[in-house]
Amino acid sequence: MNRTEYSFSPEDFEFVPKDNLLPPEEIYNTQSYFKDIRKRFTANKGAVAGGISILLILLLAIIGPMLSGHTYYSQNITHQNLAPRIKLLEGIGIFDGSETITTSTGTIEQNKYISEDTSITTGLEEVYYWFGTDVLGRDIFTRTWEGTRISLYIAFVAVMVDMCFGMIYGLISGYFGGRTDMIMQRFAEILNGIPTLVIVTLLILVFQPGLLTITIALAITGWIGMSRIARAQVLKLKEQEFILASKTLGAKDFFIIFKEILPNIFGQLIVMSMFSIPNAIFTEAFLAFIGLGVPQPLASLGSLISDAFKSFTTHPYMIVFPVIVLGIIMLSFNLMADGLRDAFDPKMKEI
């Protein structure tokens, strides 16, 4: 065959206009799972505000009882029922120690720090109680932050009970199934059917009222909700292909539970444990309010509210500050838990 030969000259070619050039390939940096979670969490302003509030309350719970110079248990009957007084704010007419008392004959405005007769000194002219004092002359500021320590301790106990017992209980129950699951779930249902108030009352017959009693009560029933969530997640995942592949390769049951299943549901479990914290704090406050909390002179936010409720009509400031702190704690944990839920599973926000 005859081969045709071609020859090219520079005139046979022309440059492609820049407008027709293909765009260069874009290379995107990979982002780790936890960085993605952090990015979504920080984008949620409510969750960030809740986290900052928790840090501030934790800081005040640590250093607050040392700021005022008073102890939570010291009593001074001459300083009883003193209204809040703050040195930097009394000059502008707020928190100057004055209060309005409602009586059967009308309202009376008084300031126990300063006597109306200038010739008589009360000995309180240079005394400042930032949140006021109670009926025994104890500093409410110190007692409020001392009570906040107990509330944060209850939050820590709730998380530890959920993660160390409830999570493991639910993982084992859901993974093995069958008779094991039936026995474990029936036991949990029986235990959940006993009201917490009854459990605490029975514990008081054995132990003295206090933190130990409340801790044991939370440890007995506080893990059931977490175990149900963990069990439901395991039932959803244990028939997935990657679990069957691990079984085929000879992986042991507990290896599959803690190495294959747990990392895939750990985010949901963290979120649920955060949602359980406000419930645990409220339970402690309720028990303290009805007289089953920590004994005197210890103070929790619930016991402070219970004591101040008796003087609410005459000295409302006694109940205001513990209620505000308790409300901020519960709201902050709820906001942070909601932000963690959206960060770990953004699809949940659309449901």
Side-chain angles (χ1 to χ4, degrees):
M1 294 179 63
N2 294 328
R3 180 179 298 177
T4 303
E5 295 184 0
Y6 297 94
S7 60
F8 297 97
S9 63
E11 289 76 14
D12 295 329
F13 300 92
E14 62 179 354
F15 290 102
V16 177
K18 293 183 177 181
D19 296 339
N20 295 333
L21 290 176
L22 294 176
E25 294 183 358
E26 295 185 14
I27 301 176
Y28 296 95
N29 294 326
T30 59
Q31 187 167 261
S32 68
Y33 176 64
F34 288 102
K35 285 186 178 180
D36 193 30
I37 291 174
R38 184 180 64 184
K39 182 179 179 181
R40 288 196 293 264
F41 180 80
T42 54
N44 190 326
K45 295 181 180 179
V48 173
I52 293 174
S53 298
I54 292 172
L55 291 177
L56 290 176
I57 288 175
L58 179 61
L59 178 63
L60 286 171
I62 294 173
I63 67 173
M66 299 178 287
L67 293 178
S68 65
H70 305 282
T71 62
Y72 70 90
Y73 54 84
S74 59
Q75 303 179 14
N76 190 339
I77 201 66
T78 60
H79 291 188
Q80 64 179 352
N81 300 331
L82 293 177
R85 187 187 186 195
I86 302 177
K87 189 172 185 179
L88 298 177
L89 299 178
E90 64 176 344
I92 58 177
I94 58 175
F95 294 106
D96 57 355
S98 61
E99 61 175 329
T100 301
I101 300 177
T102 302
T103 64
S104 57
T105 58
T107 58
I108 301 174
E109 186 171 348
Q110 64 177 6
N111 189 332
K112 292 185 178 181
Y113 292 91
I114 302 173
S115 175
E116 296 180 358
D117 188 351
T118 56
S119 62
I120 301 175
T121 59
T122 62
L124 300 174
E125 288 78 10
E126 299 300 324
V127 175
Y128 293 89
Y129 288 101
W130 299 334
F131 287 178
T133 61
D134 60 10
V135 294
L136 297 177
R138 296 174 297 193
D139 181 30
I140 297 178
F141 179 86
T142 303
R143 291 177 62 78
T144 297
W145 297 119
E146 193 72 29
T148 304
R149 290 181 178 181
I150 294 179
S151 295
L152 295 177
Y153 164 78
I154 295 298
F156 175 77
V157 169
V159 172
M160 289 297 100
V161 169
D162 278 347
M163 301 306 294
C164 296
F165 191 75
M167 180 186 70
I168 296 175
Y169 192 93
L171 289 173
I172 294 174
S173 176
Y175 179 80
F176 289 102
R179 181 174 295 181
T180 302
D181 181 48
M182 183 186 68
I183 294 174
M184 295 179 72
Q185 291 306 306
R186 297 300 80 76
F187 173 75
E189 289 173 3
I190 293 172
L191 200 60
N192 192 43
I194 305 174
T196 304
L197 184 60
V198 174
I199 294 176
V200 174
T201 305
L202 293 176
L203 288 174
I204 289 176
L205 299 177
V206 181
F207 303 100
Q208 294 295 326
L211 276 179
L212 178 62
T213 304
I214 297 174
T215 302
I216 296 175
L218 290 175
I220 290 176
T221 59
W223 53 271
I224 295 176
M226 172 61 75
S227 69
R228 289 176 174 172
I229 296 297
R231 175 179 176 270
Q233 295 294 327
V234 172
L235 291 175
K236 185 172 66 174
L237 291 179
K238 73 175 185 177
E239 300 299 333
Q240 296 290 328
E241 289 79 2
F242 69 96
I243 301 297
L244 297 176
S246 297
K247 291 180 178 179
T248 304
L249 294 173
K252 301 296 183 182
D253 291 331
F254 284 98
F255 178 87
I256 295 174
I257 291 174
F258 294 103
K259 294 293 185 179
E260 299 290 348
I261 296 178
L262 181 58
N264 286 280
I265 66 174
F266 192 69
Q268 291 88 339
L269 299 184
I270 288 291
V271 172
M272 289 307 303
S273 67
M274 294 299 297
F275 274 116
S276 69
I277 289 175
N279 184 45
I281 293 175
F282 178 78
T283 300
E284 185 279 327
F286 170 73
L287 293 175
F289 186 81
I290 62 177
L292 299 179
V294 295
Q296 295 289 344
L298 288 175
S300 70
L301 294 177
S303 62
L304 289 174
I305 294 172
S306 177
D307 294 339
F309 183 75
K310 303 169 186 176
S311 305
F312 177 69
T313 56
T314 55
H315 305 287
Y317 65 86
M318 294 184 185
I319 200 173
V320 169
F321 297 106
V323 166
I324 290 175
V325 173
L326 180 62
I328 291 175
I329 291 174
M330 298 183 68
L331 178 63
S332 299
F333 275 112
N334 275 318
L335 287 174
M336 193 167 71
D338 189 63
L340 286 174
R341 181 194 61 193
D342 296 339
F344 277 103
D345 191 358
K347 295 180 181 178
M348 287 292 295
K349 195 172 183 180
E350 302 173 1
I351 298 178

